[in-house]
Amino acid sequence: KDNLCLFGYPNRWWEVNQPVAYLPPEIPEPTLGISFCRNGMQRKDWFSLVAVQSDAWLLAVAYFWGARFDHADRDRLFTMINDLPTLYDIVTESAWVQAKEKSSVSSNSSNKPLSTAN
């Protein structure tokens, strides 16, 4: 199959399948052709590429719907999105490294006396 897309469903399942003939006009189109460069890449690099494309699509959908929000709600949406790791972070495990660093910094800082500087 030459032209595949990654589809995410509300029940947290993902599916790689051929693109549908009709997409509802109310959502941005997913990136087509995630399988084009699969055979010429290492598996790890291909998963990273799919994760980046998926992140871009998820952000496009979030901000498509968020365009109807007022400033405060858009700011809240942006903050909520930034509080979560991206798919790319999860696939490349950088989210786990950052979490480890945060926990080691917070445990080290709890052992140090507080500064009296303002």
Side-chain angles (χ1 to χ4, degrees):
K1 298 178 182 178
D2 289 328
N3 196 14
L4 297 175
C5 291
L6 181 65
F7 295 93
Y9 297 102
N11 62 1
R12 295 185 171 187
W13 285 93
W14 293 85
E15 176 185 26
V16 175
N17 210 338
Q18 291 182 336
V20 294
Y22 173 76
L23 276 175
E26 61 268 3
I27 63 169
E29 269 191 50
T31 303
L32 298 176
I34 61 171
S35 59
F36 286 155
C37 56
R38 178 181 58 199
N39 294 335
M41 297 179 79
Q42 291 183 0
R43 184 178 175 93
K44 178 181 150 190
D45 294 336
W46 181 73
F47 275 117
S48 296
L49 177 66
V50 171
V52 167
Q53 290 175 349
S54 299
D55 284 332
W57 181 77
L58 289 168
L59 287 171
V61 170
Y63 283 103
F64 177 84
W65 292 110
R68 295 172 178 85
F69 297 166
D70 64 9
H71 174 73
D73 288 337
R74 280 192 314 272
D75 191 42
R76 187 169 153 242
L77 173 65
F78 182 76
T79 301
M80 289 169 63
I81 289 171
N82 282 329
D83 286 343
L84 297 171
T86 63
L87 292 172
Y88 179 79
D89 289 338
I90 293 167
V91 167
T92 61
E93 297 180 7
S94 64
W96 305 115
V97 172
Q98 290 173 4
K100 274 187 187 176
E101 289 173 357
K102 269 187 176 180
S103 67
S104 68
V105 167
S106 64
S107 65
N108 288 342
S109 64
S110 64
N111 297 333
K112 295 178 183 176
L114 293 175
S115 172
T116 56
N118 289 338

